[in-house]
């Protein structure tokens, strides 16, 4: 027994010693700003998802150091590079991007803003699709590999239905919603598009396609009619893309760098965007005495738990995000706040809690709302503070509506030989049971709750947008709008990105337009130590897997049940 205890104590001691050594090692290898040589070129390699919120931050021992790229990282890096005399040019390398059209527009606009410094931008494309090509349009010169296809072929929006599958396994989904366009649940209850969904998706694709055509026409000096005809003949081989005037030269990558070296007066030093992001803004004269908070709210809206702090959650939890907003509101050194929203909405209660905290922030700090790929349903609701709202032409917003849904698995249980026996106290105790359908009386009860929540939503929008209830109700009904459509209808104030939001918040805060400011990101990146100390969530892992299978749909919110302010469908135009 004594030997066992000694062994146990020794084992525990060794574990703690190993953890301590690991922590010291992490601290020892913390990332340091790189030394930037003269005649450097910033290599902007953009791949996969580029989120709004900072992901896990890894120390240099694991590679390059620093956290993964965010949209704000790229925005700040290009602003620094424009002012940095050591950076002579940017080489843009977008590949396999999986971001929405609003974030694409931000990247494109950031590159165009950098070009105003007089420094050139070169784009090198590897098997580009429409997204990669859209970003590359901001460059002075576009290179394409001699054997690389250009998959520019127009836009396509698809909807997926599971009704026939659910019928086969004996599952039904019962849905109640307010607003004729709030057709959340259609993927489970019908096998085709509703007329309302088809109407909205046609308008969305029309506007996105028109914007794409206009951008290509302006960048490649062609008429919109010429561009439409060119796209209709795609996709293209590299030779065909060159002949159509879509790219400037066909070269291998090493040949591109040789070509770049001549105008730059010699072989340049390559600096990756990941490394350059850690260069202090003060080192290039961009640090200012006034501090502006850039607060990111990203993901589907849920309550979360009391331990959330807004940093590491994969969703937008009211517990965590409210803490972040409160910190910013109560920090006397912060002169203004930009709240950046990328959310399809979620739980009604959580949306309400965030809405309240957003309004408390607005009372204490000059605030501007910046919408990313989407700020719809609950994501739009939380923005109703009365402050200026800036959105991109391709932002998905609006979707002012409320929905309730629950699965009925009785048929599936029958197929599996499973029975459920219940003892009830209360006439509607099984209203949320997955074994019983909704009765007509229960539907009436749910409708009353949905209608009340919907009326509250429309009222809050009307108050914040200084409009009448009836005016907003005509634009509501659960309909999704693009930013280009929402601005003309008064749901947002102007089109633009982070630069436009910064100009507005400086004006509200009384900061001169030309004065430099210090931008502080909230929430801060999560370190690997924070991740190790925070409990993991098997539920989040399950939801991440489901989202991967079903195209990124916000499973977290609707798996919780109850009343939801959630987008009616997922839009991913290819």
């Amino acid at each position: 027994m004594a030997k066992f205890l000694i062994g146990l104590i020794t084992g525990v001691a060794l574990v703690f010693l190993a953890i301590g050594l690991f922590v010291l090692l992490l601290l020892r290898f913390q990332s340091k700003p790189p030394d930037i040589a003269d005649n450097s070129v910033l290599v902007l390699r953009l791949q996969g998802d580029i989120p709004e919120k900072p992901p896990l931050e890894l120390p240099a021992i694991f590679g390059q150091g620093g956290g993964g790229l965010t949209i704000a990282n790229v925005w700040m890096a290009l602003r620094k590079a424009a002012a940095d005399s050591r950076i002579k040019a940017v080489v843009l390398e977008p590949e396999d991007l999986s971001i929405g059209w609003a974030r694409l527009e931000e990247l494109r606009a950031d590159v165009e803003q950098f070009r105003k410094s007089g420094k050139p931008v070169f784009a090198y494309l590897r098997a580009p699709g429409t997204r990669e090509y859209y970003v590359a349009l901001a460059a002075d010169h576009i290179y394409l590999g001699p054997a690389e296809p250009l998959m520019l072929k127009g836009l396509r929006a698809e909807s997926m239905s599971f009704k026939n599958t659910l019928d086969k396994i004996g599952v039904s989904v019962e849905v109640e919603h307010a607003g004729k366009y709030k057709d959340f649940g259609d993927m489970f209850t019908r096998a085709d598009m509703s007329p309302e969904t088809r109407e909205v998706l046609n308008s969305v694709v029309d506007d996105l396609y028109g914007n794409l055509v206009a951008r290509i026409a302006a960048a490649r000096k062609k008429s919109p009619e010429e561009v439409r005809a060119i796209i209709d003949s795609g996709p293209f081989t590299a030779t065909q893309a060159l002949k159509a005037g879509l790219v400037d030269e066909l070269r291998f990558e090493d040949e591109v760098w040789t070509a770049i070296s001549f105008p730059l007066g010699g072989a340049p030093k390559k600096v990756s965007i990941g490394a350059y992001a850690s260069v202090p803004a003060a080192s290039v004269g961009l640090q200012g005495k006034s501090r502006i908070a850039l607060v990111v709210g990203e993901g589907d809206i849920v309550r979360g738990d009391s331990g959330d702090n807004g940093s590491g959650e994969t969703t937008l939890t009211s517990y965590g995000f409210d803490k972040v907003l409160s910190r910013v509101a109560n920090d006397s050194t912060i002169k203004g706040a930009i709240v950046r929203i990328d959310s399809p909405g979620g739980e009604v209660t959580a949306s309400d809690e965030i809405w309240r905290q957003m309004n408390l922030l607005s009372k204490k700090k000059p605030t501007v709302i910046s919408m990313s790929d989407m700020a719809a349903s609950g994501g739009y609701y939380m923005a109703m503070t009365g402050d200026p709202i800036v959105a991109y032409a391709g932002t998905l917003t609006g979707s002012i509506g409320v929905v309730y849904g629950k699965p009925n698995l009785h048929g599936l249980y029958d197929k599996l030989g499973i029975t459920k026996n219940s003892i009830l106290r209360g006439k509607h105790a099984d209203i949320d049971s997955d074994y019983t359908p909704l009765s007509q009386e229960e539907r009436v009860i749910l409708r009353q709750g949905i209608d009340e929540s919907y009326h509250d939503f429309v009222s809050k929008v009307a108050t914040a947008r200084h409009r009448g209830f009836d005016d907003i109700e005509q634009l509501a009904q659960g309909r999704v709008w693009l930013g280009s459509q929402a601005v003309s209808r008064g749901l947002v104030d102007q089109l633009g990105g982070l630069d436009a939001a910064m100009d507005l918040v400086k004006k509200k805060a009384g900061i001169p337009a030309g004065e430099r400011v210090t931008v502080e990101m909230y929430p801060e990146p999560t370190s690997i130590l924070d991740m190790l100390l925070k409990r993991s969530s098997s539920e989040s892992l399950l939801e991440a897997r489901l989202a991967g299978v079903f195209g990124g749909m916000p499973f977290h919110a609707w798996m919780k049940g109850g009343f939801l302010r959630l987008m009616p469908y997922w839009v991913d135009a290819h």
Side-chain angles (χ1 to χ4, degrees), residues 420-430 433 435-436:
K420 279 190 173 185
N421 298 290
S422 301
I423 298 174
L424 308 178
R425 295 294 183 273
K427 189 175 180 181
H428 305 297
D430 61 348
S433 170
Y435 200 64
T436 59

Side-chain angles (χ1 to χ4, degrees), residues 505-559:
V505 78
K506 287 170 70 174
K507 184 177 181 180
K508 287 193 72 177
I511 301 171
E515 184 177 311
R516 305 289 192 188
V517 296
T518 298
V519 180
E520 302 285 354
M521 283 289 298
Y522 293 86
E524 297 85 352
T526 304
S527 70
I528 192 169
L529 185 59
D530 293 332
M531 185 193 73
L532 291 173
L533 294 177
K534 186 174 175 65
R535 64 178 179 84
S536 63
S537 170
S538 58
E539 184 181 73
S540 295
L541 293 174
L542 171 62
E543 288 153 2
R545 285 173 172 78
L546 285 172
V549 172
F550 294 107
M553 289 182 289
F555 277 91
H556 197 131
W558 69 261
M559 283 174 71

